[in-house]
C-alpha cells in the first residue's frame, strides 16, 4: 500500500473533514476523497462516515488509524536515521535509560567518552528500575537501557537485543562511625543483628537470599522511596544497606562500604530495540563494556578481616 494514502487518511481523521485535510495537504478535496475511497476498496470495509460537522472514522477506520499512525511515525524515524548516517550528523537525540545506581556514575562516564567521539550529540538520561526501562525501550521512548538481572530478573523478549556487560558484586554501605567501618570482607552472619534499609524489591531479594544461604535472616525494617533516601538512612545511623559495588565511586562522603564474603552478584546488560536502532547505541555499549572490564574486582581487591577495608575501583 502507498504510505501517501495512509498519511492522507490519518490527516482526514485528525482534521475531521475532507476539505480541511485537503487544504493542509495542498490537494483538492476530490483528490482526497478518491484516495480514501481507494483505500476502502483495498481493505474491503468502510473507513469513514459522515456526521453533521464533517467526517469521522468508523470502528474499522479507528483501528486502521492507530496502526497507520504508528507505521507512519516509524517510517519517518527510519528516513531520519538514514539521513543522519548519510550526512554524518547525529541530529537524533540519544535517549538512555539506566537503573539508579548505574545512572549515578558509570553511565554518565561512558557518555562522556561517547561525546568525545561523536561531538555535539544531544542525549538524555532517564533513571528507572529494570522492568520499567524495558517497557520504555519497547515503547520507543529509549534507544538503549542499562539494566540488571536482579530479582525478578529479565524477560527473554525477542523484541529487544540484550547484551552482557559484566557482573557487579553487592557491598554493604554503613555510616562512617559504624563498628565495622574499615573491616572486610565480612560474613553476613556478623551483620545479622543489624537493621537494614531497602528501596526496591530486587535488592531486598538479593539480601534475603544471601542471608538465607548463610542460615541467618536480614531485618529489613526500613523502607526508602529511592536510592538517595536509602543512603540518607545509612548516613544518619538508622540502618545499613546493600548497594552495588559499581555505585561506590558515587557514594556520599558520610558513608563507607564493607565487602562481603562470597557476595551476591547481579548481571548488567544493555537492551536496545531490534529495529530503528540509534546509530550511537552500539558505541555506548562498547564504552560501558570497557569501563566494566577496567573496574572488575579481583581477589587482590580483598584483605583479611581486621585490616583495611576493601579497595573498590575508582570511577574511570
Amino acid at each position: 500500500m502507498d504510505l501517501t494514502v495512509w498519511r492522507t487518511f490519518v490527516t482526514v481523521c485528525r482534521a475531521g473533514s475532507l476539505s480541511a485535510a485537503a487544504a493542509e495537504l495542498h490537494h483538492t478535496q476530490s483528490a482526497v476523497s478518491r484516495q480514501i475511497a481507494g483505500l476502502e476498496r483495498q481493505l474491503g470495509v468502510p473507513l469513514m462516515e459522515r456526521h453533521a460537522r464533517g467526517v469521522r472514522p468508523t470502528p474499522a477506520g479507528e483501528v486502521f488509524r492507530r496502526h497507520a499512525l504508528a507505521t507512519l511515525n516509524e517510517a519517518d524515524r527510519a528516513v531520519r536515521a538514514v539521513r543522519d548516517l548519510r550526512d554524518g550528523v547525529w541530529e537524533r537525540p540519544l535517549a538512555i535509560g539506566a537503573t539508579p545506581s548505574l545512572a549515578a556514575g558509570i553511565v554518565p562516564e561512558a557518555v562522556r567518552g561517547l561525546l568525545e567521539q561523536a561531538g555535539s550529540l544531544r542525549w538524555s538520561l532517564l533513571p528507572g528500575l529494570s522492568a520499567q526501562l524495558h517497557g520504555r525501550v519497547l515503547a520507543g521512548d529509549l534507544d538503549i537501557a542499562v539494566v540488571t538481572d536482579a530479582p525478578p530478573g529479565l524477560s527473554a523478549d525477542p523484541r529487544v537485543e540484550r547484551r552482557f556487560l559484566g557482573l557487579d558484586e553487592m557491598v554493604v554501605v554503613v555510616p562512617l562511625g559504624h563498628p565495622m567501618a574499615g573491616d572486610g570482607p565480612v560474613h553476613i552472619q556478623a551483620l545479622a543483628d543489624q537493621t537494614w534499609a531497602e528501596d526496591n524489591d530486587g535488592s531486598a531479594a538479593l539480601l534475603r537470599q544471601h542471608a538465607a544461604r548463610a542460615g541467618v535472616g536480614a531485618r529489613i525494617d526500613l523502607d526508602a522511596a529511592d536510592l538517595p533516601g536509602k543512603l540518607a538512612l545509612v548516613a544518619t545511623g538508622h540502618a545499613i544497606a546493600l548497594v552495588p559495588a559499581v555505585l561506590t565511586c558515587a557514594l556520599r562522603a558520610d558513608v563507607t562500604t564493607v565487602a562481603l564474603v562470597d557476595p551476591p552478584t547481579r548481571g548488567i546488560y544493555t537492551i536496545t530495540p531490534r529495529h530503528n536502532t540509534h546509530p550511537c547505541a552500539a558505541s555506548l555499549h562498547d564504552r560501558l563494556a570497557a569501563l566494566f572490564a577496567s573496574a572488575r574486582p579481583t581477589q587482590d581487591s580483598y584483605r583479611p578481616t581486621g585490616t583495611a577495608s576493601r579497595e573498590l575501583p575508582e570511577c574511570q
Side-chain angles (χ1 to χ4, degrees):
M1 290 185 180
D2 184 0
L3 290 185
T4 301
V5 178
W6 289 31
R7 200 176 301 277
T8 297
F9 175 75
V10 169
T11 303
V12 171
C13 291
R14 176 170 47 79
S17 76
L18 296 176
S19 58
E24 182 177 332
L25 295 169
H26 305 290
H27 296 330
T28 64
Q29 182 172 333
S30 60
V32 170
S33 181
R34 285 195 301 271
Q35 289 183 56
I36 299 300
L39 187 59
E40 289 177 325
R41 284 194 300 272
Q42 283 183 293
L43 295 175
V45 292
L47 297 177
M48 286 288 180
E49 59 185 8
R50 294 189 177 275
H51 63 92
R53 293 188 297 274
V55 295
R56 62 189 170 206
T58 64
E62 177 58 25
V63 170
F64 183 76
R65 184 198 67 81
R66 292 198 300 268
H67 289 282
L69 183 60
T71 300
L72 291 169
N73 288 338
E74 187 68 22
D76 289 342
R77 285 195 290 266
V79 171
R80 287 196 300 269
V82 171
R83 287 174 177 170
D84 287 344
L85 279 173
R86 180 198 64 192
D87 300 336
V89 178
W90 312 126
E91 294 183 354
R92 171 182 162 190
L94 177 64
I96 308 165
T99 61
S101 60
L102 295 162
I106 197 167
V107 172
E109 180 65 21
V111 172
R112 182 173 67 174
L114 182 64
L115 293 176
E116 292 173 356
Q117 173 191 20
S120 58
L121 170 69
R122 291 178 295 154
W123 64 284
S124 60
L125 177 58
L126 175 70
L129 299 181
S130 294
Q132 298 168 337
L133 297 174
H134 180 273
R136 300 296 290 269
V137 169
L138 291 180
D141 298 333
L142 296 175
D143 297 302
I144 183 171
V146 192
V147 298
T148 83
D149 61 6
L154 297 173
S155 62
D157 193 327
R159 295 171 293 178
V160 301
E161 180 176 359
R162 185 171 72 193
R163 300 175 67 190
F164 181 67
L165 287 171
L167 280 179
D168 185 26
E169 295 182 353
M170 306 296 286
V171 298
V172 180
V173 63
V174 300
L176 289 180
H178 192 276
M180 290 189 182
D183 291 346
V186 303
H187 291 277
I188 189 67
Q189 292 94 326
L191 302 167
D193 62 342
Q194 300 285 308
T195 296
W196 295 79
E198 273 305 342
D199 64 324
N200 68 79
D201 293 339
S203 181
L206 285 176
L207 173 59
R208 290 193 177 100
Q209 291 168 5
H210 181 67
R213 285 195 297 269
V216 296
R219 290 174 31 222
I220 304 177
D221 293 338
L222 293 176
D223 293 324
D226 51 25
L227 182 57
K230 180 164 76 171
L231 294 176
L233 290 172
V234 174
T236 50
H238 295 291
I240 63 175
L242 196 70
V243 299
V246 74
L247 181 65
T248 303
C249 61
L251 288 175
R252 48 192 289 170
D254 48 3
V255 300
T256 189
T257 57
V258 176
L260 288 169
V261 174
D262 190 22
T265 61
R266 59 179 193 163
I268 310 296
Y269 300 81
T270 60
I271 56 173
T272 53
R274 290 198 177 273
H275 305 289
N276 192 34
T277 305
H278 193 285
C280 291
S283 295
L284 180 60
H285 169 90
D286 292 343
R287 292 189 175 276
L288 286 164
L291 286 174
F292 269 96
S294 64
R296 184 171 296 143
T298 66
Q299 292 300 317
D300 294 336
S301 302
Y302 295 92
R303 299 180 186 272
T305 302
T307 64
S309 63
R310 175 187 170 190
E311 296 176 354
L312 290 164
E314 296 181 355
C315 285
Q316 302 299 307

